[in-house]
Amino acid sequence: MSTAEGVTEARDTSVAPGDDGPATESHSSPAAPSVLDRPGGLASALEAILMVAESPVPAERIASVLQIPTAEVTAALEALVAEYSGGPRPRGFELREVAGGWRFYSAPAFSAAVDAFVVDGQTARLTQAALETLAVIAYRQPVSRGRISAIRGVNVDSVVRTLLARGLVEEAGHDAEGGATLYRTTSYFLERLGLRSLDDLPPLAPYLPDMDTFDDIDGTA
């Protein structure tokens, strides 16, 4: 029995109608219990769900769908991570917790094979200007267009619009002094980079100019 499958053995904590016991959430999916009784149990059910997920899925959502405690889902997911990384054969994929949820990703070691599979033009790539602008926003957020332009030395209006359209950045209110619109990265940004939070960004901020240098810039777009 795999480590992940073993998590399901202690799951039977139901309380009979009328008995006093811990309150449980009410769910509407009648199929979940029978799915977990199939060969593979919870581990296989998690794999099936995550295989079709287009974005990271929170453990709480999976628990709600399967009608089981969130802690049990989290333990099973962590067991799957250990199973995939500790097997005799390196896997071509990884299970990661990213941006508040769980999702399968291709293993970095096989990125060359993935790159060869993806035909040029199928995936729209960010330009160098967009990548530089995104880096400034990521490390200096929330930040205005004017301050980004001051750091990069060029107008960034069109680039910021592109990043907004891609869902990588979003508006984050207005500057208290000049009223300029501020921008920050989104959870989709974290997802695309495979990060749990902004704390996981590489320590590059010290190499960027100090924002105090640009205090005289009103940042209006």
Side-chain angles (χ1 to χ4, degrees):
M1 176 183 295
S2 69
T3 303
E5 291 173 351
V7 176
T8 63
E9 291 185 352
R11 178 164 45 83
D12 189 7
T13 57
S14 61
V15 179
D19 290 347
D20 292 331
T24 58
E25 297 180 2
S26 176
H27 303 281
S28 60
S29 173
S34 60
V35 168
L36 297 182
D37 289 338
R38 293 177 180 275
L42 177 57
S44 295
L46 293 175
E47 290 173 332
I49 291 173
L50 296 176
M51 195 64 67
V52 299
E54 296 182 356
S55 60
V57 184
E60 293 81 2
R61 182 182 176 191
I62 299 176
S64 176
V65 171
L66 297 180
Q67 306 177 32
I68 59 177
T70 300
E72 184 177 343
V73 171
T74 300
L77 288 167
E78 292 173 346
L80 283 174
V81 171
E83 180 181 328
Y84 297 149
S85 61
R89 176 180 64 83
R91 305 286 184 132
F93 62 90
E94 296 178 344
L95 176 58
R96 303 181 202 161
E97 183 181 8
V98 173
W102 295 80
R103 186 182 181 189
F104 283 118
Y105 290 86
S106 59
F110 301 98
S111 59
V114 175
D115 291 343
F117 175 76
V118 178
V119 179
D120 286 343
Q122 285 186 331
T123 303
R125 300 177 184 273
L126 292 176
T127 63
Q128 184 64 30
L131 290 172
E132 292 175 1
T133 300
L134 184 58
V136 173
I137 295 174
Y139 284 99
R140 292 298 188 183
Q141 59 184 306
V143 63
S144 67
R145 291 193 218 187
R147 294 196 172 190
I148 299 170
S149 296
I151 292 174
R152 294 200 56 236
V154 296
N155 185 287
V156 298
D157 288 1
S158 62
V159 177
V160 171
R161 284 195 294 269
T162 297
L163 295 176
L164 285 167
R166 296 285 189 88
L168 295 169
V169 302
E170 62 186 2
E171 295 185 359
H174 296 81
D175 182 76
E177 297 179 2
T181 300
L182 301 176
Y183 297 92
R184 65 188 176 196
T185 54
T186 63
S187 59
Y188 179 65
F189 166 81
L190 296 177
E191 174 191 339
R192 297 300 296 174
L193 268 66
L195 304 175
R196 292 188 181 186
S197 70
L198 293 174
D199 292 336
D200 293 334
L201 282 170
L204 299 180
Y207 300 99
L208 292 175
D210 191 336
M211 290 308 300
D212 292 339
T213 306
F214 308 102
D215 282 343
D216 58 338
I217 301 174
D218 61 12
T220 55

